[in-house]
């Protein structure tokens, strides 16, 4: 059974930093890509950053220059280093593992709350 466990969320002041972690288990070693998404109250879930198995990355415009996604492939771990945080970054951050992009096989974590105070 595939499980994703996020950690690292919390309360931080504007301008501060946080690092989120996501550990995937039960994937039998195959993951096409992993990523971070977020959902603020009253808004749809949106992509923050994705990293493919080959190491290529994609960022939302709002994350470029402030957030960095990285991975430890051997351990099925990904990280999201967030800097220069803004109140509008406040959201629940979800980890997603895409086991097969071609066939649409993906799993979500339960999310971790990030709150940025002004």
């Amino acid at each position: 059974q595939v499980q994703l466990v996020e950690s690292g969320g919390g309360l931080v002041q504007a301008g501060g930093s946080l690092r989120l972690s996501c550990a995937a288990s039960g994937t039998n070693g195959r993951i096409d890509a992993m990523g971070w998404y977020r959902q603020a109250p009253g808004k749809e879930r949106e992509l923050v950053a994705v990293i493919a198995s080959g190491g290529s990355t994609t960022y939302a415009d709002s994350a470029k220059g402030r957030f960095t996604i990285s991975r430890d492939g051997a351990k099925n771990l990904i990280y999201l280093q967030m800097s220069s945080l803004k109140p509008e970054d406040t959201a629940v951050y979800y980890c997603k593992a895409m086991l097969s992009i071609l066939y649409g096989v993906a799993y979500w974590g339960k999310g971790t709350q990030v709150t940025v105070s002004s």
Side-chain angles (χ1 to χ4, degrees), residues 33-38 46-52 56-64 66-70 78-82 93-98 108:
M34 293 183 70
W36 291 97
Y37 294 70
R38 68 186 183 187
E46 63 178 7
L47 178 145
V48 176
V50 172
I51 185 164
S56 61
T57 57
T58 301
Y59 292 92
D61 287 343
S62 60
K64 290 178 181 176
R66 299 189 301 127
F67 295 0
T68 302
I69 189 170
S70 61
I78 62 167
Y79 306 96
L80 185 69
Q81 179 67 47
M82 303 185 292
Y93 283 70
Y94 296 92
C95 177
K96 181 180 182 181
M98 290 154 270
W108 292 91

Side-chain angles (χ1 to χ4, degrees), residues 4-86:
L4 302 175
V5 178
E6 303 105 330
S7 61
L11 174 64
V12 63
Q13 288 188 332
S17 300
L18 279 176
R19 189 177 85 152
L20 306 182
S21 301
C22 173
S25 61
T27 63
N28 293 323
R30 175 172 174 81
I31 300 179
D32 280 352
M34 293 183 70
W36 291 97
Y37 294 70
R38 68 186 183 187
Q39 187 166 18
K43 295 188 177 182
E44 294 186 353
R45 192 172 298 187
E46 63 178 7
L47 178 145
V48 176
V50 172
I51 185 164
S53 58
S56 61
T57 57
T58 301
Y59 292 92
D61 287 343
S62 60
K64 290 178 181 176
R66 299 189 301 127
F67 295 0
T68 302
I69 189 170
S70 61
R71 69 189 179 105
D72 180 339
K75 298 181 179 179
N76 284 346
L77 279 168
I78 62 167
Y79 306 96
L80 185 69
Q81 179 67 47
M82 303 185 292
S83 303
S84 302
L85 283 162
K86 306 174 182 179

